[in-house]
Amino acid sequence: MRRFFRACLALGGLWLAGFAWFIQDASKPPVTATVCDGIVALTGGEQRVDTAITLLRGGYGHLLLISGVGPHVTLQHILHLQQESLSSPLAARITLGRRATSTIGNAHETAEWATENHLHRVLVVTAGYHIRRAVLEIHRTAPDLDLMPYPVVPLALQGTLSYKILFLMFREYNKLLGAEIGVMTGLPDGREGLDGA
């Protein structure tokens, strides 16, 4: 019984240490972006699409996939927020992916888009708490695709952590662990993100 109790304490300590690392890692600002063939933005949180379009405009990729777009969101609406129009050269380089409703769905949508457009290196834009799981799932689906992570730090993570944010971190950390176990066992994690990604 003592050994079992000690093992539980050790596992709990490892989980807590990993959780503390995860929160710190998710709050790190992105480094300088790498120039790639394409960019994929995984929807579900603030700043992701804006950041991806800014990167596209800056020449960090030739094409952009916005994966997981809702059925009522149009390219015109997205471009309007960016002070661009449908007639701008930027519009022809953006694809809206509407089928993905989970990170695994994002991975399949990204893999198909990259194959169709003969892309070899893709810049992945999503929240810092989601980036590692997203890259993991995309790599599992498209192992030959070179992935460059570009995490976005949501405004909520730039201040004092609230209970709501800690709960989000708790869920996302466990989903990351589930995805890693899925990679090791060859099984999908079978879970969707809190924000639909």
Side-chain angles (χ1 to χ4, degrees):
M1 198 66 183
R2 283 183 181 177
R3 288 180 181 176
F4 176 75
F5 183 67
R6 287 174 182 170
C8 288
L9 281 178
L11 286 174
L14 284 173
W15 185 94
L16 281 173
F19 185 49
W21 163 84
F22 179 76
I23 292 174
Q24 183 181 26
D25 183 67
S27 305
K28 286 181 182 177
V31 295
T32 303
T34 302
V35 176
C36 297
D37 303 325
I39 303 167
V40 58
L42 309 185
T43 60
E46 59 189 35
Q47 301 171 301
R48 302 181 192 186
V49 173
D50 291 347
T51 298
I53 291 177
T54 299
L55 291 167
L56 180 69
R57 191 184 287 121
Y60 289 97
H62 180 66
L63 299 174
L64 167 63
L65 168 67
I66 304 175
S67 177
V69 177
H72 304 297
V73 178
T74 65
L75 181 57
Q76 183 176 4
H77 174 71
I78 291 171
L79 290 173
H80 177 72
L81 296 175
Q82 288 287 320
Q83 298 182 344
E84 295 278 354
S85 68
L86 281 174
S87 60
S88 72
L90 208 65
R93 297 159 56 193
I94 300 174
T95 300
L96 301 186
R98 300 187 182 274
R99 288 180 297 138
T101 58
S102 67
T103 304
I104 294 173
N106 292 140
H108 287 285
E109 202 163 57
T110 301
E112 290 173 10
W113 169 76
T115 299
E116 289 170 3
N117 291 283
H118 310 288
L119 306 179
H120 304 287
R121 175 177 283 193
V122 172
L123 195 62
V124 181
V125 180
T126 188
Y129 58 78
H130 185 228
I131 193 73
R132 290 184 180 273
R133 182 162 61 96
V135 169
L136 196 67
E137 295 293 2
I138 296 171
H139 178 71
R140 177 159 55 173
T141 305
D144 295 330
L145 196 59
D146 194 9
L147 304 172
M148 297 290 116
Y150 193 85
V152 174
V153 182
L155 295 175
L157 280 178
Q158 296 176 22
T160 304
L161 296 180
S162 65
Y163 172 80
K164 182 179 179 181
I165 295 302
L166 282 173
F167 183 66
L168 169 64
M169 294 293 103
F170 170 81
R171 289 189 61 175
E172 289 297 324
Y173 177 56
N174 286 322
K175 287 173 186 176
L176 174 61
L177 294 179
E180 289 178 340
I181 291 170
V183 168
M184 288 187 289
T185 60
L187 298 173
D189 66 4
R191 307 176 193 174
E192 294 184 4
L194 178 66
D195 55 7

